[in-house]
Amino acid sequence: MDPTILTALIGTGGTVVGGVITGAVVGRRLRRAQADHLAAQTDVLRQDIYQQVVADLRTELERLQTALRATSAEAERLRLRVLELESRVAQLSQAEAHLAAELRTTQADRDRLRADLAARDATVAELRAQVHHLELQLATQPSTGR
């Protein structure tokens, strides 16, 4: 064979063999690069998921803290309202005790005044009876010549 053709055939065969070897090496490197790329993407996804979970947990924590503050504020408002109502009940109890004492005093005064009125009514009735008796005496007495 012609050395040029032989060289061309050997060169072509070498290229084919070299291409197969090179293809195997390149395929291995490509798979390795794909595996490295996949691992890097997995790490990025893991980080994204972690950051999203952390953000969600922080948001939930803030919501719960806000709810706790609102609940605490409501509890404080109710505690103050209870104190206010207890104070008002104490004031009303004192006012009731004072009014009850005043009522007892007033009732005692009323009873005393009723007794006084009854005594005076008896005196008036007695005086009327005396006036009536005197009028009868005057009416039955002969008139003197005036």
Side-chain angles (χ1 to χ4, degrees):
M1 267 208 171
D2 186 12
T4 2
I5 293 177
L6 192 57
T7 304
L9 283 175
I10 291 175
T12 305
T15 305
V16 170
V17 171
V20 170
I21 293 173
T22 304
V25 170
V26 168
R28 196 175 301 134
R29 286 184 183 165
L30 181 62
R31 283 191 301 276
R32 181 67 184 153
Q34 286 174 338
D36 289 345
H37 180 68
L38 185 60
Q41 283 182 331
T42 303
D43 286 343
V44 167
L45 282 174
R46 227 181 249 128
Q47 282 290 10
D48 288 348
I49 291 170
Y50 175 78
Q51 288 174 354
Q52 185 60 45
V53 167
V54 167
D56 290 348
L57 288 174
R58 283 187 179 143
T59 300
E60 183 65 12
L61 179 62
E62 288 174 11
R63 185 189 69 76
L64 290 173
Q65 286 173 336
T66 301
L68 179 61
R69 281 190 295 273
T71 302
S72 296
E74 180 67 11
E76 180 63 16
R77 186 189 69 75
L78 290 174
R79 187 186 70 76
L80 291 174
R81 181 68 175 140
V82 166
L83 288 175
E84 178 185 310
L85 290 174
E86 286 174 345
S87 174
R88 183 70 178 133
V89 165
Q91 287 174 347
L92 290 174
S93 292
Q94 286 178 343
E96 178 189 23
H98 173 73
L99 290 173
E102 188 177 325
L103 177 63
R104 284 188 298 274
T105 301
T106 303
Q107 287 173 336
D109 287 347
R110 178 201 64 202
D111 293 343
R112 183 183 49 76
L113 290 172
R114 280 184 178 167
D116 286 350
L117 180 60
R120 290 191 178 149
D121 280 344
T123 303
V124 167
E126 184 181 323
L127 290 174
R128 282 190 180 152
Q130 287 177 6
V131 166
H132 182 65
H133 179 66
L134 290 173
E135 285 176 343
L136 285 176
Q137 280 181 354
L138 280 175
T140 57
Q141 232 179 13
S143 98
T144 52
R146 275 187 172 186

